Amino acid sequence: MTTIFVFEYLTGGGIDPDVAGTGSLADLSALIVEGRMMRDAIASDLRALPGVAVTFASSRFEQPDGALARRCAERGEPVTHFVARMARAHDYACVIAPECDQLLLRLHDAVGASRWLGCAKEAIRAASSKSATAARLAAHGIAGTPALKPDDACLHEASRWVVKPDDGAGGLDTFVYQDLDAARVEYERRVAGGRNPVLQAWVEGEPLSLSLMCDDEGARLISINRQRIGISEANSARRERIVQFDGVEVDQIDRQGPQGRALERLAMDVAQAFPGLRGFAGIDVVWNAARGPVVIEVNPRPTVAYAELSKRAARNLAADLLAAHRVPGFDGRKTAHACGASS
Protein backbone atom coordinates (compact mmCIF):
# COMPACT_ATOMS: atom_id res chain seq x y z
CA MET A 1 0.00 0.00 0.00
CA THR A 2 1.33 3.44 -0.99
CA THR A 3 0.46 6.14 1.55
CA ILE A 4 0.12 9.78 0.45
CA PHE A 5 -0.42 12.91 2.51
CA VAL A 6 -2.30 15.72 0.71
CA PHE A 7 -1.78 19.22 2.08
CA GLU A 8 -3.36 22.45 0.83
CA TYR A 9 -2.13 25.53 2.64
CA LEU A 10 -5.30 27.57 3.17
CA THR A 11 -7.50 24.64 4.22
CA GLY A 12 -4.75 22.73 6.02
CA GLY A 13 -4.18 25.20 8.83
CA GLY A 14 -2.00 27.77 7.10
CA ILE A 15 -4.53 30.52 7.86
CA ASP A 16 -5.85 30.72 11.42
CA PRO A 17 -8.85 33.05 12.05
CA ASP A 18 -7.55 33.70 15.56
CA VAL A 19 -4.48 35.29 13.96
CA ALA A 20 -5.62 36.49 10.54
CA GLY A 21 -8.68 38.41 11.61
CA THR A 22 -12.10 38.61 9.98
CA GLY A 23 -11.13 41.18 7.37
CA SER A 24 -8.20 39.12 6.11
CA LEU A 25 -10.32 35.99 5.90
CA ALA A 26 -12.96 37.81 3.91
CA ASP A 27 -10.31 38.83 1.39
CA LEU A 28 -9.08 35.24 1.18
CA SER A 29 -12.46 33.53 1.02
CA ALA A 30 -12.35 32.90 -2.73
CA LEU A 31 -8.86 31.44 -2.49
CA ILE A 32 -9.96 29.18 0.36
CA VAL A 33 -12.80 27.82 -1.79
CA GLU A 34 -10.39 27.21 -4.67
CA GLY A 35 -7.90 25.55 -2.33
CA ARG A 36 -10.54 23.19 -1.03
CA MET A 37 -11.60 22.32 -4.58
CA MET A 38 -8.02 21.43 -5.53
CA ARG A 39 -7.37 19.47 -2.36
CA ASP A 40 -10.59 17.47 -2.61
CA ALA A 41 -10.12 16.70 -6.31
CA ILE A 42 -6.56 15.43 -5.87
CA ALA A 43 -7.39 13.45 -2.74
CA SER A 44 -10.43 11.89 -4.42
CA ASP A 45 -8.47 10.96 -7.53
CA LEU A 46 -5.73 9.38 -5.43
CA ARG A 47 -8.24 7.42 -3.34
CA ALA A 48 -9.69 5.95 -6.52
CA LEU A 49 -6.35 4.38 -7.48
CA PRO A 50 -5.67 0.78 -6.45
CA GLY A 51 -3.12 0.35 -3.69
CA VAL A 52 -3.17 4.01 -2.57
CA ALA A 53 -4.22 5.25 0.88
CA VAL A 54 -4.75 8.98 1.37
CA THR A 55 -4.63 11.26 4.40
CA PHE A 56 -5.43 14.94 3.93
CA ALA A 57 -4.78 18.01 6.05
CA SER A 58 -7.65 20.02 7.47
CA SER A 59 -8.05 22.76 10.04
CA ARG A 60 -10.02 22.66 13.26
CA PHE A 61 -12.52 25.09 11.65
CA GLU A 62 -13.52 22.61 8.93
CA GLN A 63 -15.94 19.69 9.26
CA PRO A 64 -15.23 17.27 6.40
CA ASP A 65 -16.66 13.77 5.96
CA GLY A 66 -15.77 11.88 9.13
CA ALA A 67 -15.16 8.69 7.16
CA LEU A 68 -12.13 10.21 5.45
CA ALA A 69 -8.64 10.13 6.98
CA ARG A 70 -7.66 13.65 7.95
CA ARG A 71 -5.13 15.26 10.25
CA CYS A 72 -4.89 18.70 11.85
CA ALA A 73 -1.86 20.56 13.11
CA GLU A 74 -1.43 20.82 16.85
CA ARG A 75 -2.29 24.21 18.36
CA GLY A 76 0.67 26.51 17.87
CA GLU A 77 2.49 24.04 15.62
CA PRO A 78 4.21 25.83 12.70
CA VAL A 79 2.84 24.71 9.38
CA THR A 80 6.23 23.53 8.13
CA HIS A 81 6.66 21.35 11.25
CA PHE A 82 3.20 19.86 10.74
CA VAL A 83 3.85 19.06 7.09
CA ALA A 84 7.28 17.59 7.86
CA ARG A 85 5.80 15.41 10.61
CA MET A 86 3.02 14.13 8.38
CA ALA A 87 5.33 13.57 5.42
CA ARG A 88 7.56 11.34 7.57
CA ALA A 89 4.50 9.24 8.39
CA HIS A 90 3.68 8.67 4.70
CA ASP A 91 5.48 7.47 1.61
CA TYR A 92 4.77 10.67 -0.32
CA ALA A 93 3.30 14.15 0.13
CA CYS A 94 1.34 16.19 -2.41
CA VAL A 95 1.43 19.88 -1.45
CA ILE A 96 -0.57 22.80 -2.83
CA ALA A 97 0.60 26.18 -1.60
CA PRO A 98 1.32 29.68 -2.94
CA GLU A 99 4.84 30.71 -3.87
CA CYS A 100 4.69 33.95 -1.84
CA ASP A 101 7.21 34.43 0.98
CA GLN A 102 9.02 31.32 -0.32
CA LEU A 103 6.26 29.22 1.24
CA LEU A 104 6.24 26.52 -1.43
CA LEU A 105 10.04 26.29 -1.25
CA ARG A 106 9.96 25.95 2.53
CA LEU A 107 7.33 23.23 2.34
CA HIS A 108 9.44 21.41 -0.25
CA ASP A 109 12.34 21.42 2.20
CA ALA A 110 10.04 20.28 5.02
CA VAL A 111 8.88 17.27 3.00
CA GLY A 112 12.19 16.39 1.37
CA ALA A 113 12.81 15.64 -2.30
CA SER A 114 12.36 11.87 -1.98
CA ARG A 115 8.75 12.19 -0.75
CA TRP A 116 7.78 15.32 -2.74
CA LEU A 117 5.08 14.87 -5.41
CA GLY A 118 5.60 18.16 -7.17
CA CYS A 119 8.02 20.35 -9.07
CA ALA A 120 11.70 20.27 -8.24
CA LYS A 121 13.22 22.98 -6.08
CA GLU A 122 14.99 24.74 -8.96
CA ALA A 123 11.73 25.11 -10.91
CA ILE A 124 9.86 26.39 -7.86
CA ARG A 125 12.58 28.94 -7.10
CA ALA A 126 12.66 30.28 -10.67
CA ALA A 127 8.88 30.46 -11.07
CA SER A 128 8.26 31.97 -7.62
CA SER A 129 9.60 35.35 -8.76
CA LYS A 130 7.80 37.24 -11.52
CA SER A 131 10.92 39.22 -12.36
CA ALA A 132 13.07 36.05 -12.49
CA THR A 133 10.41 34.33 -14.58
CA ALA A 134 10.37 37.22 -17.05
CA ALA A 135 14.16 37.22 -17.28
CA ARG A 136 14.30 33.48 -17.92
CA LEU A 137 11.58 33.68 -20.58
CA ALA A 138 13.46 36.48 -22.33
CA ALA A 139 16.70 34.49 -22.21
CA HIS A 140 14.91 31.66 -24.06
CA GLY A 141 13.27 33.94 -26.60
CA ILE A 142 9.76 33.48 -25.17
CA ALA A 143 7.37 36.43 -25.12
CA GLY A 144 6.69 37.50 -21.54
CA THR A 145 6.05 40.55 -19.38
CA PRO A 146 9.35 42.06 -18.19
CA ALA A 147 9.65 43.69 -14.79
CA LEU A 148 10.36 47.36 -15.48
CA LYS A 149 11.81 50.28 -13.57
CA PRO A 150 9.72 53.47 -13.25
CA ASP A 151 12.03 55.32 -15.66
CA ASP A 152 12.03 52.67 -18.41
CA ALA A 153 11.13 54.35 -21.68
CA CYS A 154 9.14 51.33 -22.92
CA LEU A 155 6.51 52.00 -20.25
CA HIS A 156 5.18 54.75 -22.49
CA GLU A 157 4.33 52.18 -25.18
CA ALA A 158 1.50 50.77 -23.03
CA SER A 159 -1.90 52.22 -22.24
CA ARG A 160 -2.27 50.51 -18.84
CA TRP A 161 0.17 49.35 -16.21
CA VAL A 162 0.11 46.81 -13.37
CA VAL A 163 1.81 46.82 -9.97
CA LYS A 164 1.94 43.52 -8.05
CA PRO A 165 4.10 41.56 -5.61
CA ASP A 166 7.09 39.86 -7.20
CA ASP A 167 6.08 36.60 -5.50
CA GLY A 168 2.32 37.11 -5.27
CA ALA A 169 -0.37 34.50 -5.84
CA GLY A 170 -3.46 34.97 -7.99
CA GLY A 171 -4.69 38.55 -8.07
CA LEU A 172 -3.81 39.35 -4.47
CA ASP A 173 -2.45 42.88 -4.04
CA THR A 174 -2.46 43.37 -7.83
CA PHE A 175 -3.58 46.75 -9.20
CA VAL A 176 -4.03 48.08 -12.73
CA TYR A 177 -3.56 51.77 -13.56
CA GLN A 178 -4.59 53.89 -16.51
CA ASP A 179 -2.30 56.64 -15.24
CA LEU A 180 1.44 55.83 -15.45
CA ASP A 181 2.35 58.39 -12.80
CA ALA A 182 -0.06 56.77 -10.35
CA ALA A 183 1.45 53.36 -11.08
CA ARG A 184 4.93 54.76 -10.44
CA VAL A 185 3.81 56.26 -7.13
CA GLU A 186 2.37 52.93 -5.99
CA TYR A 187 5.51 51.08 -7.03
CA GLU A 188 7.75 53.49 -5.10
CA ARG A 189 5.42 53.37 -2.09
CA ARG A 190 5.79 49.59 -1.91
CA VAL A 191 9.56 49.78 -2.34
CA ALA A 192 9.78 52.32 0.49
CA GLY A 193 7.72 49.99 2.67
CA GLY A 194 10.24 47.19 2.26
CA ARG A 195 8.06 45.20 -0.11
CA ASN A 196 9.27 43.70 -3.36
CA PRO A 197 6.92 44.87 -6.14
CA VAL A 198 7.11 44.58 -9.90
CA LEU A 199 5.92 47.19 -12.39
CA GLN A 200 4.80 45.82 -15.76
CA ALA A 201 2.97 46.94 -18.85
CA TRP A 202 -0.54 45.49 -18.85
CA VAL A 203 -0.97 43.01 -21.72
CA GLU A 204 -4.27 43.43 -23.52
CA GLY A 205 -5.99 40.33 -24.84
CA GLU A 206 -7.73 37.09 -23.91
CA PRO A 207 -6.56 35.55 -20.59
CA LEU A 208 -5.82 31.84 -20.92
CA SER A 209 -4.06 29.15 -18.94
CA LEU A 210 -2.28 26.02 -20.06
CA SER A 211 -2.40 22.83 -17.98
CA LEU A 212 0.58 20.53 -18.34
CA MET A 213 1.66 17.13 -17.07
CA CYS A 214 5.44 17.06 -16.83
CA ASP A 215 7.95 14.28 -16.25
CA ASP A 216 11.64 13.69 -16.91
CA GLU A 217 10.89 12.92 -20.56
CA GLY A 218 9.24 16.27 -21.19
CA ALA A 219 5.82 17.90 -20.91
CA ARG A 220 2.37 17.24 -22.34
CA LEU A 221 -0.27 19.89 -22.80
CA ILE A 222 -3.49 18.42 -21.44
CA SER A 223 -5.83 21.41 -21.61
CA ILE A 224 -6.12 25.00 -22.84
CA ASN A 225 -8.36 26.97 -20.50
CA ARG A 226 -10.06 30.35 -20.51
CA GLN A 227 -9.60 32.39 -17.36
CA ARG A 228 -12.25 34.71 -15.98
CA ILE A 229 -10.36 37.82 -14.90
CA GLY A 230 -12.34 40.63 -13.30
CA ILE A 231 -11.16 44.20 -12.80
CA SER A 232 -13.07 46.15 -10.17
CA GLU A 233 -12.87 49.84 -9.27
CA ALA A 234 -10.67 50.59 -6.28
CA ASN A 235 -9.95 54.31 -6.36
CA SER A 236 -11.27 56.31 -9.30
CA ALA A 237 -9.28 59.39 -8.29
CA ARG A 238 -6.05 57.46 -8.80
CA ARG A 239 -7.49 55.46 -11.73
CA GLU A 240 -6.65 52.31 -9.83
CA ARG A 241 -8.42 48.98 -10.34
CA ILE A 242 -8.12 45.65 -8.52
CA VAL A 243 -7.46 42.48 -10.52
CA GLN A 244 -9.62 39.52 -9.46
CA PHE A 245 -9.49 35.90 -10.55
CA ASP A 246 -13.07 34.69 -11.01
CA GLY A 247 -12.49 31.11 -12.11
CA VAL A 248 -11.49 29.03 -15.11
CA GLU A 249 -13.27 27.22 -17.94
CA VAL A 250 -11.18 24.23 -18.89
CA ASP A 251 -10.55 22.61 -22.26
CA GLN A 252 -11.84 25.52 -24.32
CA ILE A 253 -9.57 25.65 -27.38
CA ASP A 254 -8.96 22.88 -29.89
CA ARG A 255 -5.32 21.87 -29.56
CA GLN A 256 -5.29 20.71 -33.19
CA GLY A 257 -6.26 24.15 -34.54
CA PRO A 258 -3.79 26.96 -35.37
CA GLN A 259 -4.18 28.68 -32.00
CA GLY A 260 -3.97 25.38 -30.13
CA ARG A 261 -0.79 24.34 -31.95
CA ALA A 262 0.82 27.70 -31.22
CA LEU A 263 -0.03 27.34 -27.52
CA GLU A 264 1.27 23.79 -27.44
CA ARG A 265 4.61 24.93 -28.90
CA LEU A 266 4.70 27.68 -26.29
CA ALA A 267 4.03 25.18 -23.49
CA MET A 268 6.89 22.96 -24.65
CA ASP A 269 9.23 25.96 -24.88
CA VAL A 270 8.34 27.09 -21.36
CA ALA A 271 8.81 23.58 -19.98
CA GLN A 272 12.29 23.46 -21.52
CA ALA A 273 13.08 26.88 -20.03
CA PHE A 274 12.06 25.66 -16.56
CA PRO A 275 13.71 22.28 -16.01
CA GLY A 276 12.35 20.54 -12.96
CA LEU A 277 8.66 21.01 -13.67
CA ARG A 278 7.09 17.75 -12.52
CA GLY A 279 3.54 16.51 -12.33
CA PHE A 280 0.73 19.00 -12.86
CA ALA A 281 1.80 22.58 -13.63
CA GLY A 282 0.20 25.64 -15.18
CA ILE A 283 1.14 28.58 -17.39
CA ASP A 284 -0.87 31.81 -17.41
CA VAL A 285 -0.98 33.40 -20.86
CA VAL A 286 -2.63 36.36 -22.55
CA TRP A 287 -3.38 35.99 -26.26
CA ASN A 288 -2.68 39.42 -27.69
CA ALA A 289 -4.13 40.21 -31.13
CA ALA A 290 -0.81 41.56 -32.44
CA ARG A 291 1.78 39.58 -30.49
CA GLY A 292 0.08 36.22 -30.09
CA PRO A 293 0.59 34.36 -26.77
CA VAL A 294 2.39 36.27 -24.01
CA VAL A 295 3.36 34.41 -20.84
CA ILE A 296 2.30 36.14 -17.62
CA GLU A 297 3.52 33.59 -15.08
CA VAL A 298 4.42 29.95 -14.54
CA ASN A 299 2.73 28.00 -11.72
CA PRO A 300 5.00 25.19 -10.44
CA ARG A 301 2.13 23.41 -8.67
CA PRO A 302 -1.46 22.21 -9.23
CA THR A 303 -3.86 25.00 -10.16
CA VAL A 304 -7.63 25.30 -9.85
CA ALA A 305 -7.89 23.92 -13.40
CA TYR A 306 -6.99 20.51 -11.96
CA ALA A 307 -10.28 20.38 -10.05
CA GLU A 308 -12.31 21.14 -13.17
CA LEU A 309 -10.33 18.70 -15.32
CA SER A 310 -10.75 16.01 -12.68
CA LYS A 311 -14.52 16.19 -13.16
CA ARG A 312 -14.26 15.77 -16.92
CA ALA A 313 -11.21 13.58 -17.54
CA ALA A 314 -11.72 10.22 -19.21
CA ARG A 315 -9.08 8.83 -16.87
CA ASN A 316 -7.71 9.59 -13.45
CA LEU A 317 -5.20 12.46 -13.62
CA ALA A 318 -3.64 11.35 -10.34
CA ALA A 319 -2.33 8.25 -12.13
CA ASP A 320 -0.36 10.54 -14.44
CA LEU A 321 0.83 12.55 -11.44
CA LEU A 322 2.24 9.44 -9.76
CA ALA A 323 3.71 8.20 -13.03
CA ALA A 324 5.51 11.52 -13.50
CA HIS A 325 7.30 10.83 -10.21
CA ARG A 326 7.92 7.16 -10.98
CA VAL A 327 5.94 5.98 -7.98
CA PRO A 328 6.22 2.17 -7.94
CA GLY A 329 3.21 0.58 -9.63
CA PHE A 330 2.62 3.45 -12.05
CA ASP A 331 4.36 3.11 -15.39
CA GLY A 332 5.20 6.50 -16.91
CA ARG A 333 4.09 6.89 -20.48
CA LYS A 334 1.66 3.97 -20.31
CA THR A 335 -0.56 6.21 -18.26
CA ALA A 336 -0.34 9.14 -20.68
CA HIS A 337 -3.64 10.86 -21.25
CA ALA A 338 -4.83 14.07 -22.81
CA CYS A 339 -8.35 15.30 -22.29
CA GLY A 340 -10.44 15.80 -25.41
CA ALA A 341 -10.50 19.41 -26.58
CA SER A 342 -13.38 21.41 -27.93
CA SER A 343 -13.33 24.59 -29.92
Side-chain angles (χ1 to χ4, degrees):
M1 182 68 70
T2 299
T3 59
I4 300 177
F5 174 57
V6 177
F7 174 83
E8 192 282 319
Y9 178 72
L10 294 177
T11 58
I15 297 294
D16 189 331
D18 292 344
V19 176
T22 305
S24 299
L25 278 181
D27 295 338
L28 290 169
S29 60
L31 289 176
I32 292 171
V33 170
E34 291 166 10
R36 184 175 294 113
M37 287 172 56
M38 289 186 283
R39 180 200 69 188
D40 291 351
I42 291 174
S44 177
D45 286 351
L46 287 168
R47 280 190 210 99
L49 297 175
V52 174
V54 178
T55 303
F56 71 97
S58 183
S59 73
R60 66 184 188 274
F61 306 100
E62 189 178 29
Q63 308 244 331
D65 185 341
L68 303 178
R70 71 151 179 161
R71 295 292 185 272
C72 299
E74 301 292 336
R75 279 188 176 273
E77 183 179 22
V79 68
T80 51
H81 292 192
F82 170 54
V83 171
R85 176 167 61 85
M86 294 306 302
R88 289 193 298 269
H90 292 77
D91 297 317
Y92 299 96
C94 180
V95 172
I96 308 164
E99 299 92 320
C100 52
D101 298 324
Q102 296 190 326
L103 177 60
L104 193 58
L105 278 172
R106 289 189 283 117
L107 289 170
H108 174 282
D109 288 345
V111 170
S114 64
R115 288 186 170 93
W116 181 259
L117 293 179
C119 293
K121 191 170 184 177
E122 61 268 27
I124 297 172
R125 182 182 290 110
S128 293
S129 163
K130 292 177 176 58
S131 56
T133 294
R136 180 167 295 200
L137 292 170
H140 286 79
I142 301 170
T145 50
L148 303 171
K149 297 300 182 184
D151 58 353
D152 282 341
C154 57
L155 282 169
H156 293 282
E157 298 172 7
S159 58
R160 290 197 285 179
W161 301 267
V162 60
V163 179
K164 60 177 117 173
D166 187 58
D167 64 350
L172 287 179
D173 208 17
T174 298
F175 299 92
V176 178
Y177 294 84
Q178 295 174 282
D179 183 343
L180 177 55
D181 286 339
R184 287 168 167 158
V185 168
E186 175 63 15
Y187 175 85
E188 297 292 1
R189 185 184 69 82
R190 295 190 189 196
V191 170
R195 297 153 77 186
N196 189 22
V198 291
L199 171 62
Q200 297 174 317
W202 177 261
V203 180
E204 305 290 348
E206 181 179 24
L208 305 171
S209 70
L210 311 179
S211 297
L212 291 80
M213 192 66 71
C214 308
D215 59 25
D216 55 9
E217 295 182 39
R220 290 175 285 118
L221 177 63
I222 59 175
S223 179
I224 302 172
N225 319 305
R226 286 194 170 94
Q227 293 187 312
R228 296 191 295 273
I229 303 295
I231 302 180
S232 62
E233 198 75 29
N235 186 328
S236 57
R238 297 172 61 195
R239 300 181 186 177
E240 169 190 316
R241 296 171 184 268
I242 300 174
V243 178
Q244 297 174 319
F245 175 73
D246 295 328
V248 63
E249 298 171 358
V250 299
D251 205 16
Q252 292 294 299
I253 294 176
D254 182 2
R255 282 174 285 117
Q256 302 308 312
Q259 189 178 26
R261 289 196 298 270
L263 288 166
E264 183 165 24
R265 287 193 298 271
L266 175 69
M268 299 306 104
D269 289 344
V270 171
Q272 286 189 337
F274 288 81
L277 291 178
R278 289 292 181 274
F280 193 96
I283 305 170
D284 290 344
V285 176
V286 169
W287 187 282
N288 179 269
R291 300 172 63 188
V294 179
V295 176
I296 304 302
E297 63 182 46
V298 178
N299 296 302
R301 53 174 169 76
T303 67
V304 71
Y306 181 101
E308 297 300 325
L309 286 168
S310 176
K311 299 174 185 176
R312 302 174 49 164
R315 64 159 285 112
N316 191 323
L317 289 174
D320 295 328
L321 175 66
L322 298 188
H325 292 277
R326 299 189 180 277
V327 172
F330 296 87
D331 184 11
R333 291 287 169 166
K334 291 183 181 179
T335 66
H337 167 71
C339 306
S342 59
S343 57

